Amino acid sequence: MRAISGLWRWRHNPLRRGTDLAEAWVGLIALLLILVVAPVVGAVVGGVAQDALQRSVREQRESRHVVTATVIRKLDRSPLDVDPETASGRDVRSRVLADWTAPDGTSHQGSVMAALQTPHRGDHFDLWTDVQGRIAARPLDSATATTHAVLAGTGAALLAAGLIEGSRRLAVWRMVRRRYAGWDRAWDSAGPDWGRTGTGS
């Protein structure tokens, strides 16, 4: 809005310099670019991210499966695990030795984290694996993928707006430097005695 008011103010002003009008035009162009280009960049980046993430969601859903694992015995906590004294009350996972059958029919056994507070031999729990029975992370859900895509689009729009504003500031800074250099040349051409009483007598 300052750019628009600047253009209007300098429109018929007899004190207007070329740089004043140029600064106002640069401000107006930057404002229009921020209002038009930044949202378009954000929408494009968000759309590309959404497509890629939703494709990843589909691939993970196809390649990862929930199997039922059976506890053989509880294992001691690893030294690298969170200290039980400082762990939150929501942490109900325990390290256990368990066996499970993979979707391809092969049997597996290993140390896993079970969503059981007090596991006992024979307890069952769900475990995500790939087709060969290797432990895998829970697949990304569609809502989380959409959230990540929205954040990517918003970040891209903000970055584009920041680059445009930075370019505007750089252009105005160069104009001001050029103006000051012109003033310095004008003062130098006036001579060292400019304004003194009796100059030239």
Side-chain angles (χ1 to χ4, degrees):
M1 295 310 295
R2 203 165 64 185
I4 295 172
S5 66
L7 277 174
W8 188 259
R9 184 174 69 244
W10 293 118
R11 195 167 159 217
H12 297 298
N13 194 322
L15 299 176
R16 182 191 74 195
R17 296 166 297 197
T19 56
D20 296 326
L21 195 58
E23 284 179 27
W25 274 111
V26 166
L28 180 61
I29 291 168
L31 176 65
L32 292 175
L33 286 174
I34 287 172
L35 293 176
V36 175
V37 173
V40 169
V41 168
V44 169
V45 171
V48 169
Q50 173 76 340
D51 291 344
L53 288 169
Q54 292 300 337
R55 187 168 49 252
S56 179
V57 167
R58 288 190 298 273
E59 289 170 359
Q60 288 181 12
R61 284 182 179 167
E62 290 172 4
S63 64
R64 298 178 189 180
H65 306 276
V66 177
V67 298
T68 301
T70 305
V71 175
I72 297 173
R73 64 183 168 88
K74 182 177 180 179
L75 298 175
D76 293 333
R77 276 190 173 269
S78 165
L80 299 176
D81 287 346
V82 178
D83 182 6
E85 296 294 326
T86 60
S88 69
R90 294 177 296 168
D91 186 15
V92 292
R93 296 170 65 84
S94 305
R95 183 172 296 281
V96 297
L97 181 64
D99 60 6
W100 62 92
T101 302
D104 65 359
T106 56
S107 295
H108 295 268
Q109 186 178 96
S111 169
V112 296
M113 294 299 291
L116 302 169
Q117 189 165 14
T118 54
H120 300 289
R121 181 179 177 83
D123 286 349
H124 300 289
F125 61 95
D126 289 338
L127 185 67
W128 285 96
T129 69
D130 62 10
V131 176
Q132 289 79 31
R134 294 186 296 256
I135 297 170
R138 177 188 296 272
L140 184 67
D141 64 275
S142 184
T144 303
T146 300
T147 301
H148 289 317
V150 169
L151 290 174
T154 303
L158 291 174
L159 181 62
L163 287 173
I164 292 167
E165 175 60 14
S167 300
R168 182 198 71 82
R169 287 176 183 263
L170 180 62
V172 169
W173 175 75
R174 290 181 62 115
M175 284 186 224
V176 169
R177 294 252 333 213
R178 194 173 298 133
R179 182 189 307 154
Y180 287 162
W183 287 351
D184 288 341
R185 286 192 299 273
W187 278 106
D188 289 342
S189 67
D193 294 330
W194 183 86
R196 292 189 185 169
T197 325
T199 301
S201 57

